[in-house]
Amino acid sequence: MSNALYWFTDDLRLQDNPTLNSTLYACKNILFIYVFDQALFMPTNYSHVHLGPKREQFINDSLIDIAEQLQQLGYELHVFQGNSRDVLNQVIEQADIDIVGCHAGAGYYEQALLSDIKSDNGCVRFIHQHNNLLFGPQQLNDQDLSGSFSKFRKKADKLATTEPTEDVFSDTLPLPLNLKVFNSKNYQLESQYSIGHHQFIGGERAAQNHLEEYFSKPAASTYKLTRNALDGKYSSTKFSPYLCVGNLSPRQIINHLMQYEKENGTNESTQWIRFELMWRDFFHHKAMLKGPMLFKFSGVQGVRPLTSYYPQRFKSWCCGTTQYPLVNAFMKELNETGFMSNRGRQIVASCLVNELQVDWRYGAAYFQQQLIDYDVASNWGNWQYIAGVGDDPRGGRHFNIEKQTQMYDPDGSFQKKWLCGSEPSLVDVDMVDWPVMRTDNGR
């Protein structure tokens, strides 16, 4: 009689979860766990924590949803806080686990953790695959991923998108496996709550509701025209928070998109939604290929940017007190809500790297801490693009902030919404971060 453990990570859903399905089919008894790794709450990521409070709450919401769904099926979700490796090893030993199922993430450190746990438990069968991709790793080779996105897209356009898997929870299910004695710290799940000006409630059911709602409206047919808007509920899809923790799979989105196109027609905007999901896949496959190089200052290019770490400049950027009002508005939005438009992310990243000449890794780490929809592959991959150390054939992106302001906030309404009369900084610093008063209005 086989005992299985399913370890939820960035796949917090029951539907279209291939690894979960395979684990359910392979065992007689099963238990479910999630671990908040204690290292995520330590400021070891360029002096920032790996998991900020807003994303923690979003994950918390998602776990409440998973726990309620599992409870209806007769199961319990065990949520712990501690060292993931230690917790998994203890559960495997104490519950006499034969099979472990889990999502195989794109991040180097997540892959290393899984490898360590497998090496600790040589007699246990591990079932793992990447649950959150359009195209499986077996559909692509290193040559397909050796260049820019354009090369990847040419190959991806010819590939069949993986279909959503059928729901197996209607079949005969394994019996619940009890975890009687366990000495790791339990994590207390708390009720959902509203976040600032944006309300992102995590959970598979909330994600499904948003997916249905988005495609019930005509927004998909105008997506390309509105996607660069700085605000607005339907200007962009807002799928990213649900994708990052696995409340939704990209396959589910494509499935709904195809149905929408069948009923409403295909145009450049609907194609652009597919295009954006391809970008996400590109970054995930690249992250798996790059490994630790995803986090290196010189990236995959091996060329060190002409930037450094200037504490005062970086602090001003984080707090939204630079000399650039649009950048300040974006950063204040991020700090209050945990969210920012894609256009905003590009502008503030370019500002940090090019105008403020700060090491891009500090910006990537701050985004990791603050964003509800932080995704290791997309976040660090996009920052490498901006810094000119990634796969961008242009060798970096430099946005003209004044021009961007005129294009995307010509009447200043977005700035008024977030700045509320606050003034930009009038103090800069020299190369050793000593204060220097500016007399040129920051130009």
Side-chain angles (χ1 to χ4, degrees):
M1 182 173 291
S2 54
N3 293 334
L5 159 68
Y6 194 81
W7 171 30
F8 284 105
T9 54
D10 291 335
D11 61 334
L12 299 179
R13 65 182 185 278
L14 301 186
Q15 298 179 45
D16 191 30
N17 190 325
T19 309
L20 175 58
N21 289 357
S22 298
T23 307
L24 289 168
Y25 278 128
C27 67
K28 297 293 184 182
N29 307 289
I30 193 167
L31 65 84
F32 301 90
I33 74 166
Y34 182 90
V35 183
F36 279 100
D37 197 297
Q38 61 192 19
L40 298 177
F41 301 95
M42 299 177 182
T44 56
N45 191 22
Y46 299 93
S47 298
H48 295 96
V49 298
H50 298 256
L51 177 63
K54 292 183 173 63
R55 187 158 56 94
E56 180 187 355
Q57 183 63 48
F58 191 81
I59 294 172
N60 177 97
D61 295 340
S62 302
L63 293 171
I64 289 174
D65 181 76
I66 286 278
E68 290 175 353
Q69 291 191 70
L70 288 174
Q71 188 176 40
Q72 292 172 7
L73 296 166
Y75 300 109
E76 180 181 359
L77 176 65
H78 301 272
V79 182
F80 301 106
Q81 183 171 342
N83 178 283
S84 293
R85 185 175 180 179
D86 291 343
V87 171
L88 264 293
N89 287 342
Q90 288 179 49
V91 173
I92 289 169
E93 180 182 359
Q94 295 183 21
D96 196 21
I97 295 297
D98 307 298
I99 300 170
V100 173
C102 63
H103 164 64
Y108 171 75
Y109 296 105
E110 290 80 3
Q111 292 181 52
L113 172 61
L114 176 57
S115 179
D116 287 340
I117 295 170
K118 288 174 67 176
S119 68
D120 293 339
N121 300 277
C123 295
V124 174
R125 176 189 173 193
F126 281 78
I127 300 173
H128 54 87
Q129 64 188 83
H130 203 301
N131 287 332
N132 298 334
L133 292 172
L134 284 176
F135 311 110
Q138 71 279 2
Q139 294 177 274
L140 298 159
N141 57 47
D142 289 355
Q143 185 60 34
D144 298 326
L145 298 166
S146 62
S148 66
F149 172 72
S150 296
K151 181 179 179 181
F152 170 82
R153 186 187 178 191
K154 288 178 182 178
K155 176 64 179 287
D157 279 338
K158 301 175 184 178
L159 298 174
T161 303
T162 305
E163 292 288 331
T165 58
E166 294 184 7
D167 183 7
V168 299
F169 279 92
S170 59
D171 298 340
T172 302
L173 294 173
L175 295 172
L177 182 62
N178 294 322
L179 193 59
K180 296 179 181 179
V181 180
F182 196 68
N183 51 12
S184 281
K185 180 181 178 182
N186 288 310
Y187 179 94
Q188 186 64 46
L189 297 177
E190 298 178 357
S191 300
Q192 303 168 344
Y193 79 113
S194 176
I195 304 173
H197 290 69
H198 294 280
Q199 187 172 350
F200 288 111
I201 301 298
E204 180 177 18
R205 288 176 292 187
Q208 288 294 331
N209 289 339
H210 177 68
L211 183 64
E212 297 286 346
E213 181 182 0
Y214 180 80
F215 283 113
S216 71
K217 301 184 181 300
S221 295
T222 58
Y223 172 74
K224 191 178 180 184
L225 302 175
T226 63
R227 67 188 182 91
N228 281 315
L230 308 186
D231 220 341
K233 184 175 182 180
Y234 296 111
S235 58
S236 63
T237 64
K238 304 297 189 299
F239 293 144
S240 59
Y242 304 111
L243 283 168
C244 76
V245 298
N247 292 159
L248 279 179
S249 76
R251 297 177 294 268
Q252 292 173 311
I253 297 173
I254 288 291
N255 194 49
H256 275 70
L257 175 62
M258 291 172 65
Q259 183 61 37
Y260 177 91
E261 290 176 323
K262 185 177 179 180
E263 297 172 1
N264 300 278
T266 300
N267 67 6
E268 199 172 12
S269 286
T270 60
Q271 291 284 11
W272 206 267
I273 294 175
R274 186 176 283 103
F275 174 79
E276 297 282 13
L277 288 170
M278 282 190 182
W279 261 108
R280 180 182 176 278
D281 248 54
F282 172 73
F283 278 127
H284 276 248
H285 284 287
K286 278 285 190 177
M288 290 185 278
L289 187 65
K290 290 178 182 179
M293 295 301 293
L294 184 64
F295 311 102
K296 298 297 184 183
F297 181 52
S298 56
V300 295
Q301 300 294 341
V303 178
R304 297 175 66 83
L306 299 177
T307 56
S308 187
Y309 175 57
Y310 301 98
Q312 186 59 46
R313 297 183 196 181
F314 181 59
K315 182 179 179 181
S316 294
W317 181 82
C318 293
C319 296
T321 56
T322 72
Q323 69 195 69
Y324 306 103
L326 184 62
V327 171
N328 297 344
F330 284 131
M331 297 306 294
K332 289 183 182 297
E333 178 191 29
L334 171 64
N335 292 335
E336 184 169 335
T337 71
F339 192 79
M340 188 193 303
S341 66
N342 180 61
R343 176 59 52 174
R345 298 179 200 205
Q346 294 181 67
I347 292 171
V348 302
S350 174
C351 176
L352 183 72
V353 171
N354 297 299
E355 269 68 40
L356 303 181
Q357 298 181 309
V358 172
D359 182 340
W360 67 270
R361 295 172 299 176
Y362 286 85
Y366 191 70
F367 270 23
Q368 178 172 350
Q369 174 181 275
Q370 298 297 103
L371 284 171
I372 285 178
D373 61 349
Y374 166 77
D375 173 284
V376 60
S378 297
N379 182 68
W380 291 84
N382 270 306
W383 272 95
Q384 284 196 346
Y385 253 67
I386 294 293
V389 299
D391 303 288
D392 187 355
R394 297 189 196 179
R397 304 293 171 108
H398 189 175
F399 291 83
N400 183 311
I401 298 174
E402 184 176 348
K403 182 179 179 181
Q404 296 289 311
T405 303
Q406 293 170 355
M407 290 176 62
Y408 299 108
D409 193 30
D411 61 356
S413 58
F414 182 79
Q415 295 169 72
K416 291 174 186 175
K417 177 179 179 179
W418 291 105
L419 296 182
C420 301
S422 61
E423 294 293 329
S425 172
L426 297 177
V427 179
D428 206 344
V429 292
D430 67 8
M431 64 181 296
V432 290
D433 254 3
W434 290 353
V436 176
M437 291 299 298
R438 293 202 304 270
T439 59
D440 59 354
N441 295 320
R443 301 292 180 185

